[in-house]
Every structure is written in C-alpha cells, then in structure tokens.
Amino acid sequence: MLTTTALPHPAELLPHRHPMLLLDTIQTYTPGESVTAATFVHPETIFFEGHFPGEPILPGVILVEMMFQTCGLFGRLEGLQNAQAGEVRQIKSGRAIKIDTLTFNEPVLPNDHLLITAVFSHKLLNFSVFNARVDIAGRGRTAARGTVTVLINP
C-alpha cells in the first residue's frame, strides 16, 4: 500500500513537462477515493504575461487543467496501488473528456498556494468521473469546482 511518505512526484506519474506540468506535489492519496495535489503560483509564470497586465489573474482554463492532471494522478496511483496488491495494471495514457457544472468562484493570483482535490465519483468502462476543486490555501476560499470526466486507457 502507498503511504504519504511514499508518494511520488507528479512528474514521475504524468507525461506533462514544464511549462504544462502544473502540479508541484501530491499531498494526500486515499486509494479508491481521492487525491489532493498542491502547487505554488509563481508570479513570473508565463500565463500572467498577458492575463492581465497590471492585474494578473491565473486563467480559468489553467485551473481546469490542474483538475485534469490531478485526476490523472489518481488513475496512475490506483495503477500503482493495484500493482503492489499483485494485479498487473499499467496506465498507458489518459485524456480529458468532459467538464460539467464548473464554476469559478475566486481569482487565483500570483503567490497563491493551491490545493487541487479530485474525489472519485464513479466509473463507466474506461471513463472515470470526479468531483474536483481548487482551493486557495491561506485564503480559505475555493477558486473553482466542478465535475470532470477522464478517459484512462489501461
């Protein structure tokens, strides 16, 4: 069983690389239930260059990508968990499929610390549905929340 001390770096699990690897660490993982990742929003991030000069706000589409990447972590951690239990399961790839009822509640600013949580809802074939959210640590506010669906190809 994976423990919090044994959680890998997101780059060990996801195919994304800079500048599209948006997650810094995996904070928690509960097998079969949820995963929480964290990231620091650097003031010099490329997304602030034009969104918006003088009043930088992290684009909402980047928050959505953080949610999808966190779902990808869950799928890959589940694969590792199952492999340790003796079941052979290697996750080959995954991709974003659907966004439902997504709301943006609070702007994300430079120097914010974010916690991105994906709670597994249900699965249909290779499609996994998650309730996801991005919380701004320190402000006690939710930046975005919604239901996202990912395809995970075993």
Side-chain angles (χ1 to χ4, degrees), residues 6 13 21 27 39 42 55 59-61 83 85 97 104 106 121 125-126 128 130-132 135:
L13 298 174
L21 179 60
Q27 297 292 299
T39 196
H42 294 276
E55 191 178 336
V61 69
I97 296 298
F104 298 99
E106 188 80 16
S121 174
L125 302 173
N126 288 335
S128 295
F130 295 86
N131 295 312
D135 292 307

Side-chain angles (χ1 to χ4, degrees), residues 22-107:
L22 303 173
L23 307 174
D24 295 335
T25 62
I26 301 171
Q27 297 292 299
T28 63
Y29 166 60
T30 304
E33 293 181 24
S34 66
V35 65
T36 298
T39 196
F40 173 71
V41 182
H42 294 276
E44 63 279 350
T45 186
I46 191 171
F47 306 115
F48 291 132
E49 289 180 19
H51 198 267
F52 298 98
E55 191 178 336
I57 297 173
L58 195 66
V61 69
I62 301 304
L63 300 179
V64 174
E65 177 62 21
M66 288 178 182
M67 291 176 181
F68 279 124
Q69 287 185 21
T70 302
C71 293
L73 289 175
F74 181 85
R76 285 162 175 82
L77 287 166
E78 289 288 289
L80 287 175
Q81 185 74 21
N82 293 337
Q84 290 181 358
E87 177 185 325
V88 177
R89 181 171 181 233
Q90 178 182 356
I91 305 297
K92 293 180 182 173
S93 66
R95 64 172 206 218
I97 296 298
K98 186 177 179 185
I99 303 166
D100 284 317
T101 62
L102 191 72
T103 58
F104 298 99
N105 307 309
E106 188 80 16

